[in-house]
Amino acid sequence: MSVHYTDTGLRDSSGRTILYRAAEDGHENAVKAILASAARKQDLLNLAETVNGWTPLFIACVNGRLPIVKLLLEAGAEQKLCDLAGWTEKEYAVFRGHMKVAELLAAHGASDYRATESSGILRTGIVRPGEPLKCALQNQTRISSRLEPSEMTPNYYRMQKDSSQIFVTIGPSNTRSNLKPVELTNQSFYHDIIANRNTRFGVMVKAGGTKSTSAHCIELPMLGNMINKPLQFATEDPNNVTLVFELFRSSPTSGKDIQVIGTGMALLKCLRQGLAPKRESLIRDYTVPILGNGHMTYIGSVTFNLLVITPFQSLNSSPRASPGFWKDASTQIVGHRGSGANSTALSNLQIGENTVQSFLTASSLGASCVEFDVQLTKDYVPVVFHDFLVMETGGDVPLHTLTFDQFMHLSRSQAPRSDILSSAEVRYLDKNNFNGGLRPKPRSHSVNIYDDYRSRDLVERMRYTEEGMHNNIKGNLRGHSIQEPSSTLEQLLTELPESIAFNLEVKHPMLWEAEDRGMQFDAIELNFFVDTILTTIFRLCGNRNITLSSFSPEVCIVLACKQETFPILFINKAGSVPAGDIRAGSLQGAIEFAKAWNLAGIVMLSDPFVMCPRLLTYAKDSGLVVGSYGNLNDDTDCALIQAEAGLDAIMTNKVRLISETLAKAKS
């Protein structure tokens, strides 16, 4: 059946056409039909509504409707437009984490900003269809216009001495979940909520066993995500806390201020049971049933997110406050995992990532700071290692399931054969009470035939791991890099000069990361995990400049509540992978989260800033320190684009190249 749209140019009170509404809601077939039947298609394509100045292409980009964007571009939609706030379609797509949409726009020739009046030069990120994002420096214009950030008020949550904090958010944090904040079985409730303007519906949240008797009221329907505005309760013992959820309504005609319809209850100690001591589930969303008052039958459910933070008790005096590794008016060079992450490309000499030698090398090549990842072993030793899964074991083994000795053996076993005593030598030395005096003299760490065989054998074992199956074998392998044993956090704090600043990434798995890697949904309990790392830092940091960072929003919140000595940066993949958390999937989510929790700044995948440099300025104008990471940071042109836009810190694998490039540009 064919559909004919004879009044395609009709507009509602906000100036929205039927094409606009179809593009907004992602109705691909409707868009096709409208475009096929429209008499003046070109005018319809570029007709903007009156509230924001958005065309159908704008709203499709804002909502990430990739198929719709493709249809509109193929139909000839104009990209040389800005909305009433001065934003372009590509900037909206990038800002909201729709990177595939942004790349499609760039492939069709979208530039960063279009204006009749311009001054200077602003480079443009352009991609060709089917090719990875790459900077192109042609057809460039620069404008002096800036994107104005919106006002965002921090939460100012702080720990109370000797008290734990309970943070409760109505609604799930897992965006891959189909759960709703409040689910009601009786459809008449939904009808009353929507249709009856004189009746208020809501959820009242109370907490027994806390220092506060106040209740928090949340009106229904919820008009926005509350992930950055949790409810807070203080308690001396989280195990004694009971959360109560009361579904209520109030009406001026009922004669009662509030009528409780149903009640649900959750015991915190029961939610956290079922795992070994010092372990926790990565699932932080819980659903409790709501039972109707009086008849006590099931009438619905409430889903909430829970985060418990216990106070950090340092055995050492608090060190001086760290200023952060960034400096005014210059882009700082940060060595990524030292002098660079391991790579299978073998295009240059590699020093094994996250090793002492790698950090020293990065400093000598011009890095003012080094970045590395810290995790805990099964016996709670903070070690420096990037991947959650240790592929050197030959299986998909999470690091937190290996003891320290087991973990270190994997890298030490690659030492040259002459450095390793045979079992007979060990028995002889022990029998004769020698203390190592007759140990063989260490020789040059060159690779002989036997060492090469062991390296190839390790590669073969790694080939059948999750990463290995995707050809990502990149461990610290002899013959592939200058190999050294893995490092501990204590080793770096004591052996590296204090002049080398640290960007220490606290690496704790998120639920969606575990899901994507096929890991179990449990890990070391977050408070104990963070406290163990902080204890080591407080004990050994001296006068070193240290910044803490994490991809995990929960880790950042815990760090912000437990201490104020070290600044915190939130790391974000900017929509390059489908994240399971609204805070982790876009520049918009990163800025809103960092501002809500009063963090020092953000570290983004560099692709958005290369494609749309004005967004980098937008983030800085929001009051945040801004850094970037990613493969584009190894490209001199991409580094210059970001530096010119005011980037505070660039994390790169090619420290010398980028350091010399930026120094030359500055001079």
Side-chain angles (χ1 to χ4, degrees):
M1 182 180 71
S2 62
V3 180
H4 298 281
Y5 294 86
T6 57
D7 296 322
T8 54
L10 290 179
R11 308 173 75 177
D12 64 13
S13 59
S14 298
R16 296 175 296 183
T17 64
I18 189 171
L19 178 61
Y20 183 99
R21 295 301 298 270
E24 180 179 24
D25 296 334
H27 296 311
E28 187 175 351
N29 290 334
V31 170
K32 290 179 180 178
I34 294 168
L35 292 175
S37 62
R40 301 177 62 183
K41 180 173 68 174
Q42 203 61 35
D43 292 341
L44 185 64
L45 280 169
N46 301 317
L47 200 58
E49 48 82 55
T50 57
V51 177
N52 299 304
W54 290 352
T55 64
L57 181 60
F58 261 99
I59 191 61
C61 292
V62 168
N63 291 345
R65 310 292 191 187
L66 183 61
I68 305 297
V69 172
K70 186 175 181 181
L71 285 173
L72 295 173
L73 290 174
E74 291 173 348
E78 178 63 69
Q79 292 193 69
K80 295 181 180 179
L81 301 171
C82 291
D83 71 356
L84 298 179
W87 286 60
T88 68
E89 309 95 331
K90 190 170 68 159
E91 286 171 335
Y92 275 116
V94 168
F95 184 63
R96 296 187 175 224
H98 308 312
M99 295 304 295
K100 294 296 183 183
V101 171
E103 291 179 10
L104 179 61
L105 292 170
H108 279 75
S111 56
D112 293 301
Y113 183 93
R114 279 79 68 182
T116 55
E117 297 181 2
S118 62
S119 62
I121 296 177
L122 179 63
R123 289 170 174 162
T124 305
I126 296 178
V127 292
R128 295 192 180 97
E131 292 185 357
L133 178 64
K134 182 66 178 177
C135 176
L137 306 179
Q138 66 261 19
N139 301 322
Q140 302 161 9
T141 58
R142 165 179 281 178
I143 50 82
S144 58
S145 174
R146 303 169 78 94
L147 301 174
E148 293 296 329
S150 57
E151 291 292 330
M152 288 173 278
T153 305
N155 292 324
Y156 293 114
Y157 294 124
R158 284 292 177 265
M159 293 294 290
Q160 300 176 19
K161 188 177 181 181
D162 300 326
S163 294
S164 296
Q165 303 301 308
I166 312 294
F167 291 107
V168 178
T169 305
I170 300 298
S173 65
N174 181 11
T175 56
R176 297 178 179 180
S177 167
N178 293 322
L179 295 172
K180 297 179 180 179
V182 178
E183 191 81 55
L184 300 176
T185 57
N186 191 336
Q187 292 300 315
S188 64
F189 282 134
Y190 287 112
H191 180 268
D192 289 343
I193 290 173
I194 297 172
N196 195 337
R197 296 183 179 180
N198 294 323
T199 302
R200 290 176 55 236
F201 287 83
V203 176
M204 187 179 300
V205 185
K206 304 176 182 178
T210 65
K211 296 182 177 181
S212 173
T213 58
S214 61
H216 299 270
C217 291
I218 300 169
E219 288 197 22
L220 299 177
M222 291 173 55
L223 300 180
N225 194 302
M226 294 185 61
I227 193 67
N228 290 322
K229 297 179 180 179
L231 313 177
Q232 183 181 19
F233 303 94
T235 179
E236 294 181 355
D237 185 2
N239 286 326
N240 288 334
V241 172
T242 302
L243 294 177
V244 180
F245 303 90
E246 294 180 343
L247 182 65
F248 70 87
R249 67 181 166 197
S250 63
S251 172
T253 60
S254 66
K256 296 182 180 179
D257 291 335
I258 290 181
Q259 177 187 2
V260 177
I261 303 170
T263 305
M265 187 175 294
L267 305 178
L268 258 61
K269 65 179 180 182
C270 295
L271 298 179
R272 297 154 63 86
Q273 287 180 348
L275 293 172
K278 296 185 175 66
R279 310 291 292 190
E280 71 173 4
S281 171
L282 298 178
I283 300 173
R284 303 186 189 279
D285 296 338
Y286 301 92
T287 300
V288 295
I290 300 294
L291 302 182
N293 278 14
H295 51 80
M296 296 301 290
T297 58
Y298 175 76
I299 63 171
S301 62
V302 171
T303 296
F304 64 97
N305 178 268
L306 177 68
L307 179 63
V308 179
I309 304 179
T310 58
F312 171 60
Q313 305 289 350
S314 175
L315 299 178
N316 304 90
S317 59
S318 181
R320 67 175 180 84
S322 178
F325 59 82
W326 45 88
K327 299 177 182 177
D328 293 336
S330 63
T331 302
Q332 299 301 297
I333 307 295
V334 180
H336 183 223
R337 305 183 204 170
S339 62
N342 293 338
S343 170
T344 56
L346 300 180
S347 58
N348 57 284
L349 177 65
Q350 297 187 74
I351 300 176
E353 67 180 27
N354 285 331
T355 61
V356 170
Q357 185 59 52
S358 185
F359 298 125
L360 292 172
T361 301
S363 178
S364 69
L365 294 177
S368 57
C369 177
V370 292
E371 181 271 345
F372 56 87
D373 317 90
V374 176
Q375 302 184 63
L376 295 189
T377 60
K378 183 179 180 179
D379 45 354
Y380 315 127
V381 178
V383 294
V384 180
F385 195 75
H386 174 264
D387 297 345
F388 288 120
L389 301 176
V390 185
M391 61 192 308
E392 288 86 345
T393 60
D396 299 321
V397 180
L399 188 148
H400 63 77
T401 64
L402 297 174
T403 66
F404 174 68
D405 288 338
Q406 291 168 341
F407 170 72
M408 293 301 294
H409 173 73
L410 293 171
S411 57
R412 287 173 177 161
S413 63
Q414 293 189 65
R417 182 64 179 171
S418 60
D419 286 359
I420 302 177
L421 296 176
S422 68
S423 57
E425 290 172 321
V426 171
R427 289 195 300 271
Y428 176 80
L429 293 174
D430 290 342
K431 180 178 179 181
N432 292 278
N433 295 321
F434 286 107
N435 294 318
L438 294 181
R439 292 178 182 271
K441 180 181 178 181
R443 62 173 177 81
S444 172
H445 285 200
S446 58
V447 180
N448 59 29
I449 295 176
Y450 181 78
D451 295 328
D452 185 58
Y453 167 78
R454 287 190 299 144
S455 179
R456 285 188 283 111
D457 178 65
L458 179 57
V459 170
E460 190 62 26
R461 281 191 285 126
M462 295 164 63
R463 195 176 305 281
Y464 299 100
T465 63
E466 181 70 23
E467 289 290 319
M469 301 259 274
H470 294 88
N471 198 31
N472 291 326
I473 297 174
K474 56 182 181 63
N476 286 344
L477 301 175
R478 283 187 58 76
H480 292 254
S481 64
I482 299 176
Q483 196 271 337
E484 271 197 346
S486 299
S487 308
T488 65
L489 176 58
E490 179 170 340
Q491 184 182 6
L492 298 190
L493 287 167
T494 55
E495 295 185 12
L496 293 182
E498 280 194 356
S499 59
I500 301 178
F502 285 178
N503 178 14
L504 190 158
E505 180 188 335
V506 181
K507 203 168 183 72
H508 192 272
M510 292 175 278
L511 175 62
W512 61 272
E513 289 179 315
E515 186 178 69
D516 289 348
R517 290 167 173 80
M519 297 167 55
Q520 296 292 319
F521 293 168
D522 71 284
I524 297 174
E525 195 274 326
L526 184 55
N527 283 282
F528 178 77
F529 183 93
V530 170
D531 287 353
T532 303
I533 293 173
L534 286 178
T535 297
T536 302
I537 296 173
F538 272 59
R539 178 167 56 90
L540 299 171
C541 68
N543 293 318
R544 190 185 303 276
N545 191 342
I546 296 177
T547 300
L548 305 176
S549 61
S550 184
F551 280 96
S552 166
E554 284 76 21
V555 168
C556 289
I557 294 172
V558 171
L559 287 170
C561 289
K562 286 179 180 286
Q563 59 85 45
E564 297 179 340
T565 303
F566 305 108
I568 303 161
L569 302 177
F570 177 49
I571 318 174
N572 192 289
K573 297 184 178 180
S576 60
V577 297
D581 189 312
I582 193 172
R583 299 164 293 184
S586 68
L587 176 59
Q588 179 184 23
I591 292 174
E592 291 177 354
F593 172 71
K595 291 294 293 181
W597 290 95
N598 205 27
L599 306 183
I602 57 176
V603 179
M604 302 297 299
L605 183 72
S606 54
D607 298 38
F609 297 150
V610 174
M611 295 186 79
C612 301
R614 287 203 307 167
L615 292 179
L616 196 161
T617 308
Y618 175 92
K620 286 179 63 68
D621 288 346
S622 299
L624 298 172
V625 172
V626 181
S628 72
Y629 74 98
N631 292 333
L632 292 184
N633 284 358
D634 299 337
D635 181 280
T636 54
D637 291 329
C638 296
L640 284 170
I641 290 171
Q642 297 175 85
E644 290 171 4
L647 187 71
D648 293 301
I650 183 168
M651 298 181 188
T652 178
N653 298 306
K654 297 185 177 180
V655 174
R656 170 175 282 174
L657 174 64
I658 302 305
S659 177
E660 292 177 349
T661 297
L662 297 189
K664 183 178 179 180
K666 185 177 180 180
S667 63

